[in-house]
Amino acid sequence: MAMLSFDSAIDLFLGHIKVERGLSRNTVLAYGRDLVAFRDHVQTDDAAAIDGAKILGYLVRLADDRAALRTQARKLVTLRRFFRYLRAERHISLDPTADLELPRIGRPLPVTFGESEVARLVEAPSGEKPRMLRDRAMLELLYACGLRVSELVNLRLVDVDLVGQHVLTFGKGRKQRIIPLGDTARDAITAYLERGRPAQDKGRGAAVLFLNPSGRGLTRQGVNKLLTTWARAAGIERRISPHKLRHSFATHLLENGADLRAVQAMLGHADIGTTQIYTHVSGKRLRDVFGKHHPRA
């Protein structure tokens, strides 16, 4: 078996997860950083020379450096996928991660906002200026569909069906899903398309739904800044993010009686176990069910 340099192995793996698995650019970059950090630790250019002892030594060093358990687990997951790929492609004869176990960590409960807080947030942008119409539509859509920020900024005009009231989006691994669109979000998007977006597009015919004043698509960082600005305007002092709004979307659905499988489909979770974490924060729904059905409630 010919020697494969570590850098070449990393390039092959990153190309594989980008092209064949369709992972996002940020995810690919994160895998790359983890692998380069490991390569610098082991100080060898031969991928086949890595054994379980070298990986264990790396994990021990991470623990000595007081890296969080979640960080240790993530880095081991990266190494597992990397060496499994090399083994599957027959670049190495043995997978050095085969006998290593992930550190046990608890899954933190998602941070959510109350229904009244979210209502104040999405209603904060007011008026007929293009920016106000855009931000109102953006906030309504984030909460109405539980979109990831990457899904929001990549959403195209053709992905939004205002007549059929649904949104077509592509999640992790380019997995497609269709999400219902409520009346409030539909009306906000309609107002933006009719009275706000034409002034931002400037006749360029941009494909994406949400534009900045220069007629280009919004960025993840731009959406985060806008969300923080409107949260302050709404009197919300806690830190907010698009993902926390996504958490709130799922939690509010469950608290109001939505089926767990339906929420899983709308969130785009491959495993229902990922969605089940929201059942831990849906105490209102549990109390209502208990009060309604238990004979001694």
Side-chain angles (χ1 to χ4, degrees):
M1 188 175 292
M3 173 183 155
L4 178 67
S5 73
F6 215 110
D7 285 340
S8 296
I10 291 175
D11 289 341
L12 287 172
F13 173 70
L14 296 183
H16 164 73
I17 62 174
K18 179 180 180 180
V19 176
E20 297 188 28
R21 295 191 56 200
L23 298 187
S24 70
R25 179 176 179 272
N26 287 335
T27 301
V28 173
L29 290 174
Y31 275 115
R33 286 192 295 269
D34 284 347
L35 291 171
V36 168
F38 176 72
R39 179 206 63 193
D40 292 344
H41 170 79
V42 295
Q43 295 184 340
T44 180
D45 197 42
D46 183 2
I50 305 299
D51 57 18
K54 286 186 173 63
I55 295 177
L56 189 58
Y58 178 59
L59 296 175
V60 169
R61 196 208 76 185
L62 290 174
D64 289 343
D65 290 344
R66 297 187 178 182
L69 286 178
R70 192 166 295 277
T71 299
Q72 296 177 46
R74 190 200 73 233
K75 289 180 179 292
L76 179 53
V77 166
T78 297
L79 293 175
R80 272 183 169 178
R81 291 176 177 171
F82 174 64
F83 285 109
R84 283 178 181 174
Y85 164 76
L86 295 182
R87 176 72 181 87
E89 295 296 315
R90 300 187 178 181
H91 294 301
I92 58 176
S93 57
L94 296 172
D95 175 4
T97 68
D99 296 326
L100 296 177
E101 293 185 1
L102 289 171
R104 292 184 176 274
I105 53 177
R107 179 180 289 180
L109 292 177
V111 176
T112 65
F113 292 84
E115 293 182 29
S116 62
E117 288 179 301
V118 175
R120 295 203 313 272
L121 172 69
V122 298
E123 293 168 6
S126 61
E128 288 294 309
K129 290 183 179 180
R131 175 175 173 267
M132 296 296 181
L133 293 170
R134 180 203 63 192
D135 290 359
R136 177 66 179 266
M138 179 191 73
L139 293 172
E140 290 281 8
L141 185 59
L142 269 175
Y143 177 58
C145 297
L147 297 179
R148 300 178 178 94
V149 65
S150 59
E151 295 168 349
L152 179 82
V153 298
N154 289 316
L155 202 64
R156 303 168 301 169
L157 287 168
V158 295
D159 296 329
V160 182
D161 185 342
L162 296 175
V163 176
Q165 291 195 222
H166 64 259
V167 171
L168 173 67
T169 188
F170 296 87
K172 293 183 177 180
R174 297 295 296 168
K175 291 180 180 178
Q176 176 182 305
R177 71 185 191 277
I178 296 175
I179 311 170
L181 185 65
D183 292 347
T184 307
R186 179 204 57 196
D187 293 346
I189 294 170
T190 299
Y192 168 59
L193 291 177
E194 292 177 351
R195 305 192 298 277
R197 193 178 182 282
Q200 296 178 324
D201 185 32
K202 298 179 172 63
R204 292 177 179 173
V208 293
L209 175 61
F210 292 112
L211 303 175
N212 64 24
S214 301
R216 299 183 178 86
L218 292 175
T219 64
R220 296 160 58 100
Q221 294 81 5
V223 172
N224 276 294
K225 288 180 181 178
L226 290 172
L227 198 55
T228 299
T229 297
W230 289 119
R232 289 173 180 167
I236 299 172
E237 297 182 357
R238 292 187 292 156
R239 293 184 65 180
I240 195 167
S241 69
H243 215 69
K244 290 177 182 177
L245 208 54
R246 177 172 157 89
H247 290 325
S248 302
F249 158 84
T251 302
H252 296 167
L253 279 173
L254 290 170
E255 285 185 340
N256 286 288
D259 177 77
L260 189 63
R261 289 284 182 186
V263 176
Q264 177 194 5
M266 286 185 277
L267 290 173
H269 287 162
D271 183 359
I272 198 169
T274 307
T275 316
Q276 282 176 327
I277 191 169
Y278 295 108
T279 62
H280 295 291
V281 291
S282 299
K284 175 179 176 295
R285 170 62 179 163
L286 293 178
R287 287 193 298 272
D288 290 346
V289 170
F290 178 83
K292 182 178 180 180
H293 298 289
H294 196 281
R296 290 195 174 273

